[in-house]
Amino acid sequence: NLLNSRMRKKLFLIEKNEVLKKVNENFEAIVTYSEKFEISYCFDITNKKIVMPNEKKELENLLNFLNDDLFNSPITGNNYETNSKRKISN
């Protein structure tokens, strides 16, 4: 089974927060941002669809990306995985 409980929770949050709708509304920008995390292969640009990877680590990276758990610092260019987040503004 590819999905552990943590990944199932992320899927639930992705659905609850209407992330897929937001991805569709900003597909090209999302694909461009995904390149920073080397997961742009998870996006079918021609058909504007997300391609779910078969490997557990790749799937986890995609779910982290879609759940706002990956961050690219504009200052250092470093990528970070967050384990908690607190929204500070809209």
Side-chain angles (χ1 to χ4, degrees):
N1 187 5
L2 279 179
L3 296 177
N4 58 33
S5 61
R6 190 170 144 218
M7 294 166 76
R8 283 192 290 271
K9 181 178 179 184
K10 288 182 187 289
L11 275 174
F12 171 77
L13 292 171
I14 288 166
E15 183 177 345
K16 177 184 173 202
N17 295 325
E18 299 183 337
V19 171
L20 299 180
K21 179 182 175 187
K22 294 171 187 171
V23 168
N24 283 333
E25 292 170 355
N26 301 296
F27 195 82
E28 289 80 13
I30 300 296
V31 171
T32 300
Y33 190 65
S34 74
E35 292 170 356
K36 296 177 187 277
F37 302 99
E38 300 178 358
I39 58 168
S40 60
Y41 63 88
C42 294
F43 296 89
D44 178 349
I45 298 169
T46 305
N47 298 309
K48 292 190 173 185
K49 294 187 180 217
I50 297 173
V51 179
M52 299 302 273
N54 293 323
E55 297 295 322
K56 187 173 186 174
K57 184 62 178 163
E58 293 173 353
L59 179 57
E60 187 174 18
N61 286 339
L62 176 61
L63 294 178
N64 283 337
F65 178 79
L66 293 173
N67 199 44
D68 284 342
D69 290 335
L70 298 179
F71 173 73
N72 177 265
S73 170
I75 298 169
T76 64
N78 292 331
N79 293 333
Y80 298 96
E81 181 178 345
T82 63
N83 57 5
S84 83
K85 52 191 173 238
R86 183 174 40 128
K87 190 173 180 180
I88 55 175
S89 67
N90 287 336

